[in-house]
Every structure is written in C-alpha cells, then in structure tokens.
C-alpha cells in the first residue's frame, strides 16, 4: 500500500526519476537515464472507495497491455488513492485513453504523468518515527515533519497505528542519521506535549525481540513495598522514601534496606494479601499477550520482591524474572532481604543475562521503566522507554510514553491497534478497552 507522505509526495510517484507533466525528463541528480531507458506512465486515480474499483481499472488497462512496475494504494476515511507505474511499450496513448474512460465510469479523478525509468532507489538511513498524542494536534505533526525535512531526511510513507486511546502515526523515513534525528525530534516533541520514538528502520524493525519491564508503577499501578508497609502502619513513611529513591535523590539499595526494615515482624501471610491487592496497569495484559503472539520473549526485573513478582510472572506467562527476596524466619518477615539487592546496576545486568540466554544482541531488546533505578537498563537496551516516568528518567531515556496505557508501547514497535484486535478476534480473546485491561489482578 502507498501512504501519503506530506510535502514529499507519494512513494512511487514523486519518487520517479526524470518525470514531468509534459513528458520531458528532468534528469535526476541521483542518476541519469540513458537514451535506451524505457518510458514509463504513472497513473493516479482518487475518489470514493468501494469494492471493485482497483479491479475495474486494471481490467481496462489489461485490455491494452502494459508491464506493471509499481502499484500502491491507500484508503483514508473512505477516500481512495491508487497509483500505478507502467512500462507502456508502444501503447502509451491507448493506456491514457483506457484509464480516462475507466476513471470516468468509476467517478474517479485521474492524473497521468510520463517519465523514464523506475522509481529511484531508496536512500540509506532508514528510520521509523512514531508519534503519539492524546490528542495529536496539527501543530505537533507540522513540527515533526518540518524537523525531519530540516534534518535532510525524506518521508516515504505515513500510516496511522491507532486512533484510541491515543492517536499514533508512524513515519517511514530515509536519509536519516538515526541518533541525531532522535535527539532533534525528542527536543521538538517536548515543546508540544507529544511522545515520540525514533528507531532504525528496515530489517532492524522486524524479527524477534526481548522486552523487559520494570514492575512497580510500570507493569502494576502500585509500589509493592508501600502495600506491605500499609500492613505495618508505616505506609506514609515508606512512600516518602520510595518517591525520593525513584527520583534519584537517594541510593536505591540503602533506601530499600531501610524500607524493608519497617516490615520486621509482619506475618508471612501478609504476602498473600498483598498479591490480591496488586492491580495491573491498563494495557498490561494486552501488551504481554501480543508480544507472546509475535514470538517475543518477555522478562520482568524488579527492585521489589519475588514473592509478589513471581506470581505475576506466572499469571502472565512471563519468560524471565529477577527480583529481591524477603527473608522469612518462623513465619514472619525479618526486615531484611536475602542475597544481593536488585538495584540500578542489577537491572541492567539482568537484561544482559536475559538477552544472552535468548541469544539476542542488546540491539534487539526493549526496556520499559519509570524510576531512576531503571536508567542503566534503559540506556543499554536497543529501545529504552520511560513509561509515565519521573522527570530525570524522561530526560535521559531514548523515548517516553506519558499516557497511562502500557500497550501503547506496541505502537512504538510498529504494531497497529487493528492488528492487535484482529489477533484477539481470531483466537477468541475478548478485546478489552485499555481502561479496563487491568481488571484481573
């Protein structure tokens, strides 16, 4: 399918070498066609879409005869744009006439352009730019497309990935320096309140990946240590320390040990109660379910506790888990953790270990988190996503998502809402609105 590409024009049409309205070749700066290069005919029809339009037009052209070099189509809100690039041989005029008659009968507008040669080779530096907004304003889209042009890159295709609960649009880019473009667009996005992700395109966009998530305030809506502290009557004290640690104001390990100490004496049975209190983030089940359908590997790495995280992982079908373990003696919490603490460095080590086990390079990993102790993990991943994160984390992460729906991360990977819902329909999974996707604890 072709997708409209803004001022840069339509792939396969404006990209055709040496094409002019009157049939005079312009001599592309990228390549010049030899006198022996065959002429081409570019036919574009637009109008209201309905079944049979494409077949009727091609049938009319087939009666004349021509070689199809390119054919692309897009339908936006019931409006069709169909474009063909043909090698007409000696039948250019007959093809023009046949296209005109067919378009008239179908009630479509017609454009015909002559030229020479096939489409220009796509430039190197392919990238995928994904923009999320709720809402997504025209000013934001204008800013993004302008920055892409100023960078010297070209928009080859545009497609919408979702219309709810956020509007998401993906730009297929060529001629980009991905790290530089990412920096430029991230700064621009911050000024208009949208989320944006820039990643290498082409084959780098495809294939199996490892996706690793933080748990507290990412996969779930709460902080488990605070749920536990509520049973000891010290929730407010612990919440204040947690907030400072996640903002990067306190050393994580030191703060964790101090918070766990407040749990000393609680019966171990409190863990079962807290498991029942945990609430998934909206979209969490959809995210994991969709990733697993794609054959991706999913891991959880948490500064929380395996006694809670392990149950979540089993429920969701998670492949890898790493978290801290609480010490229990005589049926009660001692206020200490067992073994090394999973801190900021520990999370990055876990991601590396999971990737090695899956025989995947770090470039094929995605890390998602919200706190300062996630920064190392986000930094080494192929794509680091700050999810409703603290300001420090948003500033340093490759990209951020600031809507409360965890399955929005799927759009950053190029997966559309329609594809997600079609997969649910095919296997009989009830499709949940993101706002209720956390209904099961």
């Amino acid at each position: 399918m072709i997708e409209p590409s803004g001022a840069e024009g339509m792939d396969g049409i404006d990209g055709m070498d040496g094409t002019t309205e009157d049939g005079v070749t312009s001599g592309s700066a990228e390549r010049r066609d030899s006198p022996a290069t065959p002429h081409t005919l570019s036919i574009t029809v637009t109008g209201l879409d309905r079944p049979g339009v494409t077949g009727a037009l091609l049938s009319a052209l087939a009666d004349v005869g021509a070689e199809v070099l390119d054919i692309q189509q897009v339908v936006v809100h019931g409006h069709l744009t169909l474009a063909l690039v043909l090698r007409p041989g000696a039948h250019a005029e007959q093809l023009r006439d046949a296209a005109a008659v067919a378009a008239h009968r179908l009630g479509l507008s017609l454009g015909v352009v002559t030229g020479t040669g096939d489409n220009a080779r796509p430039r190197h530096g392919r990238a995928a730019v994904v923009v999320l907004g709720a809402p997504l304003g025209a000013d934001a889209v204008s800013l993004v497309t302008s920055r892409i042009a100023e960078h010297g890159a070209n928009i080859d295709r545009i497609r919408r990935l979702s219309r709810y609960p956020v509007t998401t649009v993906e730009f297929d880019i060529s001629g980009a320096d991905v790290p530089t473009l990412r920096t430029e667009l991230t700064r621009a996005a911050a000024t208009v309140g949208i989320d944006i992700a820039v990643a290498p395109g082409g084959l780098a966009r495809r294939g199996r990946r490892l996706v690793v998530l933080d748990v507290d305030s990412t996969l779930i809506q709460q902080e488990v240590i605070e749920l536990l502290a509520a049973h000891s009557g010290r929730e407010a004290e612990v919440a204040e320390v947690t907030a400072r640690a996640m903002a990067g104001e306190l050393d994580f390990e030191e703060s964790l040990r101090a918070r766990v100490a407040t749990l000393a004496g609680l019966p171990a049975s409190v863990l079962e109660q807290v498991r029942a209190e945990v609430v998934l983030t909206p979209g969490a089940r959809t995210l994991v379910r969709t990733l697993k359908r794609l054959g991706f590997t999913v891991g959880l790495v948490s500064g929380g506790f395996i006694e809670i995280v392990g149950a979540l992982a089993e429920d969701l079908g998670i492949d890898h888990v790493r978290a801290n373990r609480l010490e229990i003696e005589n049926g009660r919490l001692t206020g200490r953790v067992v073994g090394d603490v999973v801190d900021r460095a520990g999370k990055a080590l876990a991601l590396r270990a999971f990737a090695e086990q899956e025989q995947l390079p770090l470039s094929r990993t995605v890390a998602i988190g919200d706190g300062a102790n996630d920064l190392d993990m986000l930094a080494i991943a192929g794509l680091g996503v700050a999810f409703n994160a603290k300001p420090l984390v948003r500033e340093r992460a490759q990209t951020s998502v600031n809507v409360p729906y965890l399955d929005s991360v799927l759009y950053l990977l190029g997966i559309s809402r329609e594809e997600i819902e079609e997969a649910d329909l095919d296997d009989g999974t009830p499709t949940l609105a993101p706002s209720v996707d956390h209904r099961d604890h």
Side-chain angles (χ1 to χ4, degrees), residues 82-275:
L82 169 63
L84 303 98
V85 179
L86 308 174
R87 181 174 289 145
H91 308 295
E93 290 305 316
Q94 295 96 314
L95 286 169
R96 282 176 177 270
D97 293 343
V101 171
H104 178 73
R105 288 175 177 172
L106 294 166
L108 303 174
S109 299
L110 172 70
V112 180
V113 180
T114 58
T116 55
D118 199 352
N119 298 336
R121 289 181 178 273
R123 296 185 292 172
H124 294 295
R126 302 216 65 85
V129 176
V130 179
V131 180
L132 298 85
L136 182 60
D139 59 335
V141 178
S142 173
L143 180 61
V144 170
T145 55
S146 296
R147 291 292 184 272
I148 290 171
E150 291 168 6
H151 179 82
N154 189 67
I155 300 173
D156 299 326
R157 288 180 175 85
I158 305 174
R159 66 170 179 145
R160 185 180 68 180
L161 295 178
S162 74
R163 61 183 176 84
Y164 75 93
V166 297
T167 301
T168 310
V169 178
E170 180 183 60
F171 298 83
D172 183 7
I173 306 297
S174 61
D177 177 85
V178 175
T180 303
L181 182 62
R182 179 186 294 129
T183 299
E184 294 170 355
L185 290 183
T186 299
R187 290 172 179 167
T191 67
V192 288
I194 59 171
D195 297 327
I196 196 162
V198 182
L203 287 179
R205 194 82 167 141
R206 305 178 186 178
R208 190 166 67 94
R209 299 195 191 208
L210 164 68
V211 180
V212 176
L213 299 95
D214 169 48
V215 177
D216 292 3
S217 298
T218 299
L219 181 72
I220 66 174
Q221 297 184 47
Q222 307 109 312
E223 295 283 334
V224 168
I225 186 68
E226 293 175 15
L227 295 178
L228 289 167
H231 291 268
S232 66
R234 301 178 70 175
E235 181 182 12
E237 173 188 344
V238 168
E240 191 273 335
V241 176
T242 298
R244 293 182 64 194
M246 292 302 99
E249 298 174 8
L250 298 175
D251 174 76
F252 179 81
E253 179 174 352
E254 182 181 349
S255 71
L256 177 70
R257 294 189 185 280
R259 286 175 288 163
V260 171
T262 68
L263 308 179
L266 284 177
S269 60
V270 76
L271 297 171
E272 187 62 34
Q273 298 176 48
V274 168
R275 289 188 197 107

Side-chain angles (χ1 to χ4, degrees), residues 274-303:
V274 168
R275 289 188 197 107
E277 295 168 7
V278 166
V279 178
L280 292 172
T281 297
R285 287 192 180 277
T286 298
L287 172 67
V288 176
R289 180 173 67 245
T290 304
L291 293 174
K292 299 293 286 183
R293 281 175 176 153
L294 290 167
F296 288 14
T297 301
V298 184
L300 299 180
V301 57
S302 175

Side-chain angles (χ1 to χ4, degrees), residues 352-368:
R352 288 184 185 275
F354 297 164
E356 288 176 4
Q357 291 177 55
E358 296 299 326
Q359 298 184 320
L360 287 171
L362 289 176
S363 61
R364 302 297 304 165
T365 65
V366 179
I368 309 166

